[in-house]
Amino acid sequence: MALSRRDLLKISTILAASTAFGSEHSKKDDDIKKSVSSYGVQNAPLPKPKGPRVVIVGGGWSGLAVAKYLKKFSPKTDVVLIEKRSVFISCPLSNLWLVDLIDLQFLTHDYLQASQNNGYIYFNATVYDIDRVSKKVFTNEGVVSYDYLVLAPGIDYDYEEWTKGDVELETKLRGFYPAGFIPGSEHFTLKRKIEEFEEGNFVLTVPGGNYRCLPAPYERASLIAWYMKKEGIKGKVVLIDENPDITIKKDGFSSAFNELYKEYIEYLPGSKITGIDLDKKRVVTDMGDEIDFTDASFYPRIRGSKLLEVAGVAKDSAFNKKEADIDPFTYQSKEDPYIYCAGDVRPMGFSKSGNTANSEGHLVAKIIASIIDGKEFKWDSPITVCYSAVSGEPIRAISVNAKYAYDKKKKAFTFKDASTMENWKGRQGIMSGKGLLEWAKGMYRDMFM
Amino acid sequence: MERRSFFKICAKGTLLIAVSPYFIEGYLKADDGRLFKSFNRVKLLDCYGNPLKEDILQEETTYVFNYPYASTPCFLIKLSEPATKEIRLRDEEGNEYMWKGGVGKDKKVVAYSAICPHQLAHPNPNESFIGYIPKEKKSMAYKKGGVIVCASHLSAFDPKMGAKVLAGPAKEPMASIVLDVDEDGVFWANAVLGPAKFFDYFKSFKPELKEFYKNIRKAKKLVSLGAVVKPLEIYSKEVVIY
């Protein structure tokens, strides 16, 4: 390629600038700010603990419950909750907000309120390293020492199956077609996509493995379809499901797909995505389908948060990569007895739902309080109470209620006392819709009041 | 001594005598305000303001009255069979207390604070997600009827047994209301036994209480004299239990 005179001029300007910078650089080398690690990091500005200090990393549905109930069960314990977000946004019920059935205020909550009400410290910082020898957590706001550490950092996405290591594609998927299962900007983008959608296919995906919130992709498909129908949008949701069938509340969702959204949802079960072409906006599946889309939200497989690897307590589980390597009954790390892991990083096949994480938070709080106070504790099953909306105005919902039991032969947990309510029609469906909102309000009370 | 505090003491003195048959032998840290607290002795009234007697109560119907505060709802239920006597119960922290049983002719009448000990769902003038499921019915929360169910997170409690937890996420029983029946057959509420959630309730529902009771002070006013007992369907516009 020939360079034009204008290009040459540009280059020479840049060269001149960098030379100038270079010389200055060499002059004042000692004055330039070095990395934090070469200085030694300051301690975080926190008061001296008055009792054993438990540091909880991650203020989600389990971390908030651990913090509150640990302080309640063992008042002498000094509890610090480290959370990188300054505002809590609820992932449960966010599908209703995407289509304007609830407002954003319903989903957002105040970490300071939670800590004020429950006597622990909320420390707004991001953890980047953990030293298990000196028992220190390194954050961008300084170092926090711990006696016990609870890691409840939640999930991360695992794009590997789709991208085969192509980080350019992964970055585009994360940036332009976010999954919308880690609340914040992903959800705002998704909401904008839905509001601005004019016509064509809106692609959603259901990943394999034990992904976060089993019914959510089906609920999201239903509610986007409901919105399209209500707004008279000439489009449909194409739901590409890696699983052979709807993974939970099948009767409820399939009857809603068939009876309410026949024109608005195309459900493709047992379909693995083998190619994503973002320039052509086309997805190819192993079933031979080629789907052109106007817009999309790609939900990839999930994995445990990378913080587990930083701490050296991660291991591939039967379902997902890099989840917590813990004793399933005590939540204690197999690597380090002073570390506990809770919430969606758990390797057990529990439903990765808000209710499960919250009830597990209560249990983990009890376990750690018992250890600190030298008492006995008894394992108790987490509980999965989970409502899904299938339509709005009025909100109609279906639900599942289950506990878990350990099957010694299979060496795995299975559902126990599970029951579902999958009839969204009539008064029952509307009552469940009200139950859905009431459920969430109770959960927020539990975490923040 | 001020006249005011003298009256207070008088009131308290009478009260202790009134509830003494229900006193809990040795299981309570005496009146520590957590597991047992005496409040005003309050006469229960029917919807017309007449003293409430057992014969007007229908079996297996959920009734509601506000006690001990103006805004704290309680259930009154006449069961289809006598309640079990002397049930030992524990709160979430493991403190033990004893529930003495039902009152009335066949010891079938029981009363509990209607604030769910799990996450505080309760009947309000608009709706209720919590109530009694008759014996022949069942619910999503529990395989059998004859239980109090909170549909919000699907906990079930046994009203025959001091409202101990049968299923769901609740970790402690519903608090019970200590009732007695006087020689005229009239029901009185005296005290609250078990893990009452009033403090958390007032803290959590400030906006709602303002809406229903004008201000938080009115919501926190102690009930004196009488408490009107209404069927749940009348107390709340809508009952959402499944």
Side-chain angles (χ1 to χ4, degrees), chain B residues 92-153:
Chain B
E92 188 169 12
E93 275 132 61
N95 302 309
E96 202 173 58
Y97 64 99
M98 183 180 278
W99 182 74
K100 297 290 276 184
V103 296
K105 272 173 239 155
D106 304 309
K107 310 287 179 206
K108 285 180 179 176
V109 180
V110 295
Y112 299 101
S113 166
I115 300 166
C116 179
H118 173 232
Q119 290 175 3
L120 314 176
H122 61 277
N124 70 34
N126 288 336
E127 61 203 358
S128 181
F129 288 84
I130 183 165
Y132 176 80
I133 301 277
K135 263 195 124 169
E136 74 281 5
K137 291 195 176 165
K138 54 176 198 174
S139 64
M140 181 113 181
Y142 196 59
K143 52 190 185 283
K144 285 190 217 158
V147 299
I148 296 171
V149 158
C150 177
S152 180
H153 304 92

Side-chain angles (χ1 to χ4, degrees), chain A residues 104-299:
Chain A
L104 188 58
Q105 208 177 354
F106 193 95
L107 299 180
T108 50
H109 297 270
D110 166 358
Y111 281 112
L112 287 173
Q113 185 189 32
S115 67
Q116 288 155 13
N117 281 334
N118 297 294
Y120 60 82
I121 296 167
Y122 157 65
F123 190 57
N124 187 192
T126 304
V127 174
Y128 63 84
D129 200 2
I130 290 161
D131 181 350
R132 286 175 12 209
V133 178
S134 61
K135 291 177 145 185
K136 282 188 167 89
V137 173
F138 291 76
T139 82
N140 64 323
E141 298 290 338
V143 180
V144 185
S145 297
Y146 65 85
D147 294 302
Y148 296 92
L149 179 64
V150 179
L151 298 177
I155 63 161
D156 200 345
Y157 298 123
D158 176 10
Y159 282 92
E160 178 65 28
E161 273 197 8
W162 290 342
T163 61
K164 312 276 185 275
D166 177 352
V167 284
E168 205 164 310
L169 177 59
E170 178 173 332
T171 304
K172 278 188 185 159
L173 287 169
R174 281 183 187 268
F176 292 91
Y177 302 98
F181 279 87
I182 301 175
S185 292
E186 292 182 18
H187 285 72
F188 284 89
T189 288
L190 179 54
K191 182 167 172 59
R192 192 161 32 78
K193 282 172 183 282
I194 295 166
E195 280 169 357
E196 291 172 3
F197 195 77
E198 291 182 34
E199 59 181 352
N201 291 334
F202 197 113
V203 164
L204 295 178
T205 64
V206 191
N210 187 14
Y211 59 91
R212 173 176 270 180
C213 198
L214 296 177
Y218 309 104
E219 180 190 58
R220 191 174 278 176
S222 300
L223 291 178
I224 296 176
W226 170 80
Y227 183 81
M228 285 178 173
K229 199 173 165 182
K230 185 186 74 143
E231 298 284 315
I233 297 166
K234 291 191 191 94
K236 67 171 190 262
V237 177
V238 180
L239 184 60
I240 305 170
D241 191 344
E242 201 176 313
N243 305 285
D245 208 340
I246 292 173
T247 51
I248 194 162
K249 303 173 203 168
K250 189 190 156 210
D251 293 347
F253 284 120
S254 60
S255 61
F257 288 4
N258 289 327
E259 293 170 39
L260 296 173
Y261 309 121
K262 213 160 180 61
E263 314 288 312
Y264 292 90
I265 294 178
E266 188 179 342
Y267 178 53
L268 304 174
S271 302
K272 256 190 181 177
I273 290 177
T274 51
I276 302 176
D277 187 333
L278 293 180
D279 295 326
K280 288 186 186 147
K281 291 193 168 183
R282 179 175 293 168
V283 181
V284 184
T285 74
D286 64 346
M287 301 295 281
D289 288 312
E290 284 189 9
I291 303 129
D292 292 325
F293 60 86
T294 311
D295 216 335
S297 160
F298 291 103
Y299 187 7

